[in-house]
Amino acid sequence: MMAGRPPPGAAGCCRRLLAAALAAGLRPLLCGLQPRWAAAARRAAAGWPSPGPAPGLRVPEAAEAARLVQQVQREQRAGVPLRRFIACPELARTVQRCLQGGAAPGPQPPLLECAPGPGVLTRTLLNAGVRVVALESHSAFLPNLQSLENSLDGQLKVIYGDFFRLDPLIAGPVKPPAVCSEKLFESMGVVAVPWRADVPVKIFGILPQKKERNTLWRLLFALYECSSIYRYGRVELNIFISEKEYKVLTAKPGEVKAYQALTVLWQVGCEIQLLHMEPWSSFLTNLKNGGLAVPKSTWLPNDHLCLVRLTPRQNLFTGGLKATNSATFIFMVKQCLAKPKSRLIDRLNSWSLYNGRKLLRELEIPENARTVNLYPEDYRCLFEALQNCSVFTESWFHDEVLESIRNINF
């Protein structure tokens, strides 16, 4: 896990003002593969050369991007969720280098860019030869993106949709901008691969501030259940999250304020790599007053947005942990860390596990160990050992698991 601080980025760059207008009119929104993209998908599947880099696309200056966002601000209705945008070309180049860094030689999977907005990062990625799928939920940003798509030969695909409303838990047809992962990945030409295969697709986005924690939980459940985007394999997430949430994801045992169930579950499930830290002031928002809306944090630092890469572990589903029993593992970890200073033996006893001391001795865990002091690997080992105990087959335990899942407010 890398936790070093990269060189400072483009703080404040996107506060300069104005120039550029929206292209007029919306052409019908895309709902399937267009001929150019279908050809590109076939070329990729057959191992043919992908289209080369876009021929020197002009990247809007921060002032242009600011003007476009301001125009959208004037048109948007009240109650629109807070969004952040990359508007500074320097920051876009930094993010592009981070996203391409560490890639193996050879053809690369497509990149799904969530909520590209003014398209500054989109154009930067295209100039670097990346195949991009731009998933945009605000209709006012679509004309510029679709005009750009029409000028290229299969390197860019634009889709109307909201990644953070992916696979809603409702019955019946999905109403845009909500989107179904199956339809989305089909239109991208992405097919499911075995779990231990290479990454089939990369995703970039800035997590919505209002539902940041809920989004992390929802993605976590999808990861362990191999559902939604993870039905297609080890999808790589590259997401900007608040510094305080990054501190939670990478916390170490014993850090009472930060070490939580979310910590253990993400560390067991993914390799977590810090790619970049950027001050909040480097991003534009869709607030009409132009404010930054930096969330407050009492216990943890929160001066930056952190670009974090979450790559699912190839060995996640080895041993006793499987997608079919992962909900029980999640419940166990949540129960243990609900009171982080409590003793693990007391938690085991609360589950009517009368041989808890013997189990701890076999796992070489001290009898007086507190739940906050166990490493993520210890929780996995504990779960696998408990698979042989009757407590994990009793109906009351599974009822609690299901009730816990239902009570998570997505």
Side-chain angles (χ1 to χ4, degrees):
M1 185 185 310
M2 295 177 61
R5 183 185 298 265
C13 165
C14 50
R15 289 296 161 197
R16 306 191 303 269
L17 292 174
L18 319 179
L22 279 168
L26 279 174
R27 64 179 174 83
L29 300 176
L30 300 177
C31 58
L33 276 174
Q34 297 296 316
R36 294 188 308 277
W37 192 264
R42 287 194 296 271
R43 285 196 297 269
W48 297 350
S50 299
L57 293 173
R58 191 182 70 83
V59 177
E61 292 296 326
E64 283 186 70
R67 179 166 187 157
L68 179 55
V69 171
Q70 289 166 0
Q71 183 168 343
V72 172
Q73 289 169 350
R74 291 193 293 270
E75 298 173 358
Q76 71 186 14
R77 66 184 186 282
V80 173
L82 172 66
R83 283 181 57 179
R84 299 185 192 278
F85 306 100
I86 293 176
C88 174
E90 184 181 345
L91 175 57
R93 288 191 293 271
T94 298
V95 172
Q96 170 256 313
R97 288 192 293 268
C98 289
L99 294 178
Q100 291 190 292
Q108 297 300 309
L111 177 76
L112 177 63
E113 183 188 5
C114 306
V120 175
L121 177 61
T122 310
R123 289 171 175 263
T124 304
L125 291 168
L126 292 170
N127 281 338
V130 179
R131 287 187 297 140
V132 179
V133 178
L135 186 64
E136 177 54 59
S137 62
H138 201 304
S139 58
F141 287 121
L142 286 169
N144 276 351
L145 293 169
Q146 291 169 337
S147 175
L148 181 60
E149 177 191 21
N150 288 336
S151 70
L152 301 173
D153 183 24
Q155 193 186 349
L156 171 66
K157 180 178 178 65
V158 179
I159 299 176
Y160 175 53
D162 186 349
F163 178 79
F164 302 108
R165 295 176 62 185
L166 191 69
D167 297 324
L169 303 176
I170 59 172
V174 174
K175 184 179 179 181
V179 62
C180 170
S181 58
E182 183 178 359
K183 298 275 187 189
L184 174 62
F185 278 31
E186 180 183 354
S187 69
M188 292 172 60
V190 175
V191 297
V193 298
W195 186 258
R196 298 184 69 86
D198 291 336
V199 170
V201 64
K202 299 182 179 184
I203 297 176
F204 169 80
I206 303 174
L207 255 58
Q209 179 175 310
K210 186 176 181 180
K211 295 186 176 181
E212 185 177 34
R213 176 60 66 93
N214 284 348
T215 301
L216 287 170
W217 271 113
R218 185 164 189 169
L219 290 168
L220 189 69
F221 268 99
L223 169 66
Y224 276 91
E225 294 172 349
C226 288
S227 62
S228 187
I229 61 175
Y230 296 106
R231 289 196 300 116
Y232 295 83
R234 296 185 307 115
V235 172
E236 178 187 288
L237 292 177
N238 298 270
I239 51 177
F240 269 112
I241 60 176
S242 63
E243 186 176 357
K244 64 177 181 178
E245 290 296 352
Y246 168 71
K247 293 295 185 183
V248 169
L249 294 192
T250 57
K252 296 179 180 179
E255 298 177 358
V256 178
K257 298 297 182 182
Y259 196 70
Q260 304 170 17
L262 202 65
T263 311
V264 170
L265 294 167
W266 273 112
Q267 290 187 20
V268 168
C270 286
E271 297 175 17
I272 304 174
Q273 182 181 6
L274 176 64
L275 302 179
H276 184 66
M277 297 178 71
E278 188 71 24
W280 295 87
S281 58
S282 294
F283 299 83
L284 282 182
T285 72
N286 61 341
L287 295 177
K288 292 187 176 181
N289 63 4
L292 297 178
V294 179
K296 296 180 180 179
S297 177
T298 304
W299 302 106
L300 298 171
N302 200 36
D303 298 323
H304 303 81
L305 278 170
C306 297
L307 179 56
V308 179
R309 175 172 292 160
L310 302 171
T311 308
R313 298 186 187 276
Q314 285 186 322
N315 64 350
L316 176 58
F317 298 111
T318 57
L321 181 60
K322 302 176 178 62
T324 52
N325 62 15
S326 60
T328 307
F329 175 60
I330 293 173
F331 173 80
M332 184 201 80
V333 175
K334 283 170 63 66
Q335 285 285 296
C336 287
L337 286 166
K339 295 181 179 179
K341 293 183 180 180
S342 63
R343 296 192 309 161
L344 179 60
I345 187 65
D346 295 334
R347 175 53 64 187
L348 296 178
N349 290 338
S350 73
W351 294 336
S352 302
L353 192 67
Y354 298 113
N355 60 346
R357 286 181 171 80
K358 178 182 176 183
L359 180 63
L360 293 183
R361 283 197 300 272
E362 291 175 352
L363 295 174
E364 299 182 351
I365 297 176
E367 186 175 320
N368 63 347
R370 303 197 179 276
T371 57
V372 73
N373 293 324
L374 266 67
Y375 284 85
E377 303 80 36
D378 294 332
Y379 278 105
R380 175 163 185 157
C381 291
L382 176 63
F383 173 76
E384 292 176 349
L386 286 171
Q387 293 301 294
N388 299 321
C389 299
S390 60
V391 64
F392 267 50
T393 62
E394 294 177 4
S395 61
W396 68 266
F397 191 94
H398 287 280
D399 289 343
E400 286 197 40
V401 171
L402 294 176
E403 186 62 29
S404 174
I405 293 171
R406 281 194 292 267
N407 285 337
I408 291 182
N409 179 21
F410 289 136

